[in-house]
Amino acid sequence: MRSYHIDRSVSPIPLVLKDHDAPTPGDRDVLIRVRASSLNYRDLLILKGTYGRNGPGAGRVPVSDGAGEVIAVGPRVTRFKIGDRVAGTFMPKWIAGPISAEAVSVQPNLTEDGWLTELRLADESACVRIPDQLSFEEAATLPCAAVTAWSALTAFRPVLPGETVLTQGSGGVSIFALQFAKTMGARVIATTSSAEKAARLSAMGADVTVNYREDPDWHLAVRAATHGHGVDHIIEVGGVGTLERSIKSAALGAQINLIGVLSEAEGFDPGVISSAIVTINRATVGSRQQFEAMNRAIAAQDLHPVIDRVFDFAQAPEAFSYFEGRGHFGKVVIRHPAA
């Protein structure tokens, strides 16, 4: 079997490919032939060594999201059998209930090896079955971006039919949020950077699009599109760089789901917080239980993830380079060998 490993002596993409012996499942382990993995912004930060204070050490197998087929099981496994199609959970210890210190203690790509490998062992509790209508490439996009969007829209203040959701850009979380919000009967306003992307978002169901490059004060356009009322839910992926405008876009009692850190702050006015009556929720992916609930909704609605581009396993460094350019619409996926 082969795995990619972080090696920061290599540039510009610090990855090296190594050969290994195939692992043997323990009592509760499943051995997965990984068929696809997908990239998140955090994966890029970890790869570059800029995620938090202490990034993973040299040698770590990167990428937090992957899907594949079970090819062997440990003697005490009860949840899966050989041939089952599964995806890994983003936080393997978070089974259900509120987030906790234990829930975040194990994270593929951060505290343990990730999914950029041909074979991967996982505890049976850290996997979910994937919807039948999804390909492995589609299923690999779910663990982080999709579950984050789902939990943001359902966990704390669930979206109600007729409410308005604001999404930002065309990355994985934002597009999943658009798809889920429309199935919930919500109106969606999407900010974007180009007319081409605006057209694609509209084709997916966005009711209003706002070009933030042409209209830097996009919160005014959002309020105009809601007749001054403001939006009820905001998928905030920009972080402090866009938070002020998000607050100014919000209706009274709105929920702002703070997810990403994609933009830098420029003169953020903290006073805007005291001028609004909103809840700011720091969204943190979701539990296995939420993942499974989301998969039931995906199956019922025949929803398919949006994939921008698929790279072959041998092209993993090129996939990261492409992803780093931030021109993608939807998810960037790596297809692994079938055998």
Side-chain angles (χ1 to χ4, degrees):
M1 61 167 282
R2 298 173 300 166
S3 303
Y4 281 96
H5 297 258
I6 297 172
D7 184 344
R8 298 198 179 101
S9 68
V10 177
S11 63
I13 301 299
L15 285 176
V16 294
L17 188 61
K18 298 181 180 180
D19 289 308
H20 308 274
D21 293 332
T24 301
D27 280 356
R28 296 285 188 183
D29 291 335
V30 292
L31 180 61
I32 302 163
R33 182 174 300 283
V34 183
R35 296 291 301 277
S37 55
S38 74
L39 304 185
N40 299 294
Y41 188 59
R42 190 185 79 152
D43 296 326
L44 181 63
L45 296 180
I46 290 173
L47 189 70
K48 297 285 188 174
T50 58
Y51 184 79
R53 288 186 174 182
N54 299 305
R60 176 71 40 86
V61 176
V63 180
S64 62
D65 291 9
E69 180 182 7
V70 175
I71 62 171
V73 298
R76 298 181 64 193
V77 168
T78 59
R79 298 187 68 239
F80 301 103
K81 66 183 183 303
I82 292 173
D84 283 346
R85 297 177 351 120
V86 300
T89 56
F90 188 82
M91 295 183 184
K93 295 291 186 181
W94 192 4
I95 305 302
I99 195 167
S100 65
E102 181 184 11
V104 302
S105 64
V106 176
Q107 299 178 41
N109 188 26
L110 189 63
T111 65
E112 66 178 19
D113 285 340
W115 287 82
L116 199 52
T117 180
E118 291 180 328
L119 299 176
R120 189 177 191 276
L121 277 181
D123 189 281
E124 64 171 339
S125 66
C127 298
V128 300
R129 287 179 175 81
I130 58 180
D132 291 340
Q133 82 270 24
L134 298 189
S135 67
F136 286 115
E137 290 82 2
E138 291 173 322
T141 71
L142 301 179
C144 179
V147 179
T148 297
W150 174 263
S151 62
L153 296 176
T154 64
F156 300 100
R157 182 178 179 272
V159 172
L160 299 175
E163 290 190 317
T164 303
V165 176
L166 174 67
T167 64
Q168 297 175 343
S170 52
V173 174
S174 296
I175 287 186
F176 276 119
L178 165 60
Q179 292 177 296
F180 292 145
K182 294 306 296 182
T183 68
M184 296 169 185
R187 183 169 183 252
V188 176
I189 300 174
T191 67
T192 188
S193 61
S194 71
E196 178 186 1
K197 288 181 177 180
R200 294 185 68 180
L201 290 166
S202 295
M204 290 183 60
D207 299 275
V208 177
T209 60
V210 178
N211 189 319
Y212 63 80
R213 294 196 187 280
E214 295 178 352
D215 193 355
D217 291 327
W218 49 264
H219 61 282
L220 299 177
V222 172
R223 294 205 76 89
T226 59
H227 306 288
H229 174 77
V231 294
D232 304 295
H233 299 263
I234 298 174
I235 303 299
E236 172 54 77
V237 300
V240 290
T242 52
L243 181 58
E244 182 174 338
R245 288 181 178 82
S246 287
I247 294 172
K248 291 178 178 179
S249 301
L252 291 177
Q255 176 162 299
I256 299 174
N257 294 286
L258 187 60
I259 295 166
V261 290
L262 297 180
S263 61
E264 297 180 359
E266 296 182 4
F268 177 74
D269 176 14
V272 73
I273 296 176
S274 61
S275 69
I277 302 176
V278 299
T279 298
I280 299 178
N281 167 54
R282 183 65 173 94
T284 51
V285 195
S287 66
R288 191 188 81 194
Q289 185 180 67
Q290 289 170 303
F291 197 163
E292 291 167 334
M294 180 195 73
N295 281 348
R296 290 193 293 272
I298 287 173
Q301 297 289 336
D302 194 23
L303 186 151
H304 288 264
V306 176
I307 295 176
D308 178 273
R309 186 170 170 183
V310 178
F311 291 81
D312 287 332
F313 189 70
Q315 299 174 303
E318 289 90 337
F320 270 100
S321 292
Y322 178 76
F323 184 78
E324 190 173 18
R326 293 171 65 171
H328 52 282
F329 186 98
K331 295 292 289 183
V332 175
V333 172
I334 297 170
R335 180 186 291 120
H336 295 223

